[in-house]
Amino acid sequence: MFYKKHFTLPQTQNLLPDLKPKLLKIINLKKILDEKGYDIYKHHFFGGLGTNGTGKYPQDLESLIELVNQITKDGIILKGINEGLIDFPHIRNNGEEVFLCYLYGEEKILFWHRIQEGFAGRQNLDSL
């Protein structure tokens, strides 16, 4: 097994009401930082201007990091900041470790995929 914690489908569905607003905030904070010219992956403003001479990161980045930590601390995997894509490690009935997959905007968790296949390999829960 790659992951220590695994989620059941009912657990993931119950977590979504708390996760959805956090994912929306993450998506919006990323857009704000992009508009300000801040690269969250390199931790500096585009053009290499660092933390803009203040020695501190932008408050929007601090807020984004806090939200990411809240989501991931219990084993949820944030796969896409721009679109609010998260995966939940899950064990199928046959013992295979897979991900239950949620994309912000979907009503509930409707898809799963094998770990190595990623988002492109998403399958309907009926085949879980």
Side-chain angles (χ1 to χ4, degrees):
M1 298 292 159
F2 290 110
Y3 298 93
K4 292 179 183 179
K5 181 170 183 172
H6 298 93
F7 297 84
T8 66
L9 183 57
Q11 284 175 322
T12 61
Q13 302 291 24
N14 288 335
L15 289 170
L16 282 182
D18 182 53
L19 290 170
K20 286 179 181 183
K22 291 177 182 177
L23 289 171
L24 180 59
K25 287 180 186 175
I26 286 171
I27 292 166
N28 288 333
L29 285 168
K30 173 66 166 66
K31 286 179 188 174
I32 290 168
L33 288 161
D34 286 348
E35 290 168 3
K36 290 180 177 180
Y38 194 83
D39 184 338
I40 67 167
Y41 302 106
K42 294 182 180 176
H43 298 288
H44 62 69
F45 288 92
F46 297 120
L49 297 177
T51 56
N52 206 22
T54 65
K56 295 182 180 180
Y57 294 111
Q59 181 57 48
D60 295 322
L61 179 63
E62 297 287 344
S63 298
L64 187 145
I65 290 169
E66 182 180 327
L67 287 165
V68 168
N69 287 337
Q70 287 175 22
I71 288 174
T72 61
K73 69 180 169 70
D74 293 321
I76 299 168
I77 302 161
L78 181 61
K79 291 285 186 89
I81 289 176
N82 291 328
E83 59 279 326
L85 178 64
I86 55 176
D87 283 339
F88 300 85
H90 173 78
I91 304 292
R92 293 178 72 190
N93 289 338
N94 67 2
E96 179 184 14
E97 187 177 41
V98 298
F99 288 137
L100 299 175
C101 184
Y102 176 76
L103 178 63
Y104 183 79
E106 295 173 343
E107 182 181 331
K108 59 184 180 176
I109 295 173
L110 302 169
F111 301 97
W112 70 278
H113 61 82
R114 289 185 170 82
I115 292 172
Q116 63 276 19
E117 291 177 351
F119 185 83
R122 289 195 340 159
Q123 300 178 45
N124 191 289
L125 287 179
D126 294 340
S127 63
L128 185 62

